[in-house]
């Protein structure tokens, strides 16, 4: 109470209020104590900000926030740390059936209405750090997007993107917003975009080894193993670990990242701390067909 009377930042809400009051380029902000960090980091307060136009703040903006706005209000024994938000992208495959007697719209037009519905759900439910992807809610919105739609099914996939280093072997830890689907079969659960490795076009592919661990191999386009056991999947903690990964370049030169895709263990996905969920609406696969029973 003494700190509060001095107009100091004490609780997470205090930090949020200071940022919203003094910095306009904020789409969403989250604050948590170091004791709730992973791993715990006592004596710190962690702050993550999603700007309005870009995915992360610039170094200059972070320094201005810390020195001009947070430091004067901060309790001396607590150190504020500003971290970038991390994004788990959601790729959806939507399948719907419709009654042609209730609409004059073609399948492609109904598909566009579904995309508009997903965009609205993204804006209303997922733009903040407390945004939870609710599978049943999404289905309900899709079914209600047009009276002709009878029912729908959605397959959900999580994606992570990372910018590879081409000059040295590097360790990468990709942390998803939910556990990864676990299976005891030999079916692959992970896919990746293409990159060059040892003068071949390659991707990352998982396989279940004799210990029950999903190891990750680098394979070429004919699925021959070019580099075995470059990493592994921790399904329960929603992590993909790559050790000593050194691609030479990317196949798709229009982007600067490698994208990895996995199915979630549950279709309800809840982010924590500095995580944000983003539906890749423009890349959504939508397939519609006439309901023959109708």
């Amino acid at each position: 109470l003494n700190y509060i009377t001095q107009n100091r930042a004490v609780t997470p809400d205090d930090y949020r209020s200071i940022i919203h009051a003094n910095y306009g380029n904020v789409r969403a902000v989250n604050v948590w104590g170091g004791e709730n960090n992973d791993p715990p980091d006592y004596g710190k307060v962690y702050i993550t900000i999603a700007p309005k136009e870009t995915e992360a703040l610039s170094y200059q903006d972070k320094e201005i926030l810390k020195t001009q706005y947070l430091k004067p209000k901060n309790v001396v024994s607590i150190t504020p740390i500003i971290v970038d938000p991390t994004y788990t992208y959601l790729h959806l495959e939507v399948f719907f059936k419709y009654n042609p007697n209730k609409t004059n719209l073609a399948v492609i037009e109904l598909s566009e209405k579904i995309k508009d519905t997903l965009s609205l759900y993204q804006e209303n439910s997922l733009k903040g750090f407390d945004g939870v992807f609710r599978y049943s809610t999404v289905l309900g919105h899709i079914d209600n997007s047009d009276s002709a739609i009878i029912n729908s099914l959605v397959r959900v996939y999580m994606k992570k993107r990372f910018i590879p280093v081409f000059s040295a072997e590097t360790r990468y830890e990709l942390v998803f917003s939910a556990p990864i689907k676990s299976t005891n079969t030999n079916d692959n659960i992970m896919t990746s975009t293409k990159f060059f490795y040892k003068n071949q076009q390659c991707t990352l592919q998982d396989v279940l080894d004799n210990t029950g661990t999903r190891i990750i191999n680098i394979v070429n386009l004919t699925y021959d193993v070019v580099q075995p056991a470059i990493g592994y999947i921790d399904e329960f903690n929603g992590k993909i670990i790559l050790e000593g990964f050194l691609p030479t370049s990317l196949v798709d030169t229009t982007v600067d990242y490698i994208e990895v895709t996995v199915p979630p263990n549950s279709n309800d996905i809840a982010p924590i701390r500095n995580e944000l969920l983003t539906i890749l609406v423009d890349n959504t696969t939508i397939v519609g067909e006439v309901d023959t029973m109708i």
Side-chain angles (χ1 to χ4, degrees):
L1 291 175
N2 184 50
Y3 280 129
I4 292 173
T5 61
Q6 298 175 32
N7 195 26
R8 294 292 187 91
V10 180
T11 69
D13 282 341
D14 296 334
Y15 285 94
R16 290 189 189 95
S17 297
I18 291 171
I19 292 168
H20 280 296
N22 295 280
Y23 189 73
N25 185 24
V26 177
R27 177 165 59 90
V29 59
N30 196 24
V31 183
W32 66 96
E35 70 279 3
N36 295 319
N37 197 55
D38 183 19
D41 191 9
Y42 298 98
K44 308 285 179 60
V45 59
Y46 282 82
I47 302 163
T48 185
I49 298 171
K52 292 179 179 178
E53 301 297 332
T54 59
E55 289 196 344
L57 293 177
S58 66
Y59 173 80
Q60 292 78 6
D61 284 343
K62 291 177 186 176
E63 289 301 303
I64 290 172
L65 276 170
K66 285 193 291 186
T67 57
Q68 295 187 18
Y69 303 126
L70 298 180
K71 188 176 181 180
K73 302 286 187 180
N74 197 62
V75 177
V76 175
S77 59
I78 302 296
T79 303
I81 305 293
I82 298 179
V83 297
D84 290 334
T86 63
Y87 293 81
T88 293
Y89 300 97
L90 302 180
H91 173 68
L92 306 182
E93 293 181 350
V94 180
F95 304 88
F96 71 92
K97 292 186 177 183
Y98 71 102
N99 182 353
N101 298 318
K102 285 191 174 183
T103 181
N104 292 321
L105 299 178
V107 170
I108 190 171
E109 294 170 306
L110 291 173
S111 298
E112 287 301 316
K113 293 189 73 172
I114 290 174
K115 279 189 178 183
D116 292 341
T117 296
L118 294 175
S119 294
L120 190 61
Y121 180 79
Q122 167 72 36
E123 178 66 23
N124 293 338
S125 301
L126 299 182
K127 69 177 182 179
F129 288 98
D130 57 350
V132 177
F133 180 86
R134 297 284 185 189
Y135 182 75
S136 60
T137 303
V138 171
L139 285 183
H141 286 316
I142 292 173
D143 290 346
N144 293 328
S145 61
D146 191 279
S147 60
I149 295 177
I150 305 299
N151 57 38
S152 58
L153 169 71
V154 177
R155 293 178 186 154
V156 183
Y157 298 91
M158 301 186 295
K159 292 178 177 284
K160 278 286 182 181
R161 296 170 177 173
F162 67 97
I163 299 175
V165 176
F166 300 127
S167 57
E169 292 185 350
T170 305
R171 183 182 190 274
Y172 300 89
E173 182 173 319
L174 311 180
V175 183
F176 293 84
S177 294
I180 298 169
K181 182 180 180 180
S182 181
T183 175
N184 292 324
T185 70
N186 289 322
D187 295 335
N188 308 120
I189 63 173
M190 182 193 75
T191 59
S192 80
T193 50
K194 298 182 183 69
F195 52 87
F196 285 103
Y197 184 82
K198 294 184 178 179
N199 299 318
Q200 299 184 64
Q201 288 193 37
C202 297
T203 61
L204 299 170
Q205 186 184 73
D206 64 288
V207 62
L208 195 65
D209 70 4
N210 53 14
T211 68
T213 301
R214 284 208 166 267
I215 63 170
I216 300 172
N217 298 326
I218 298 177
V219 301
N220 59 24
L221 297 187
T222 56
Y223 303 107
D224 299 317
V225 176
V226 180
Q227 178 64 53
I230 196 69
Y232 64 94
I233 299 177
D234 180 352
E235 298 104 307
F236 179 78
N237 291 305
K239 294 182 179 181
I240 290 178
I241 310 296
L242 300 176
E243 302 278 5
F245 183 51
L246 179 55
T248 55
S249 62
L250 301 179
V251 173
D252 184 357
T253 57
T254 63
V255 297
D256 61 354
Y257 56 80
I258 293 175
E259 186 176 76
V260 176
T261 304
V262 293
N265 193 50
S266 168
N267 285 331
D268 290 336
I269 302 174
I272 60 173
R273 289 185 289 271
N274 63 324
E275 299 171 355
L276 283 169
L277 299 176
T278 300
I279 300 174
L280 299 174
V281 176
D282 290 338
N283 295 330
T284 299
T285 302
I286 304 179
V287 177
E289 62 178 24
V290 172
D291 189 295
T292 55
M293 288 188 292
I294 290 293

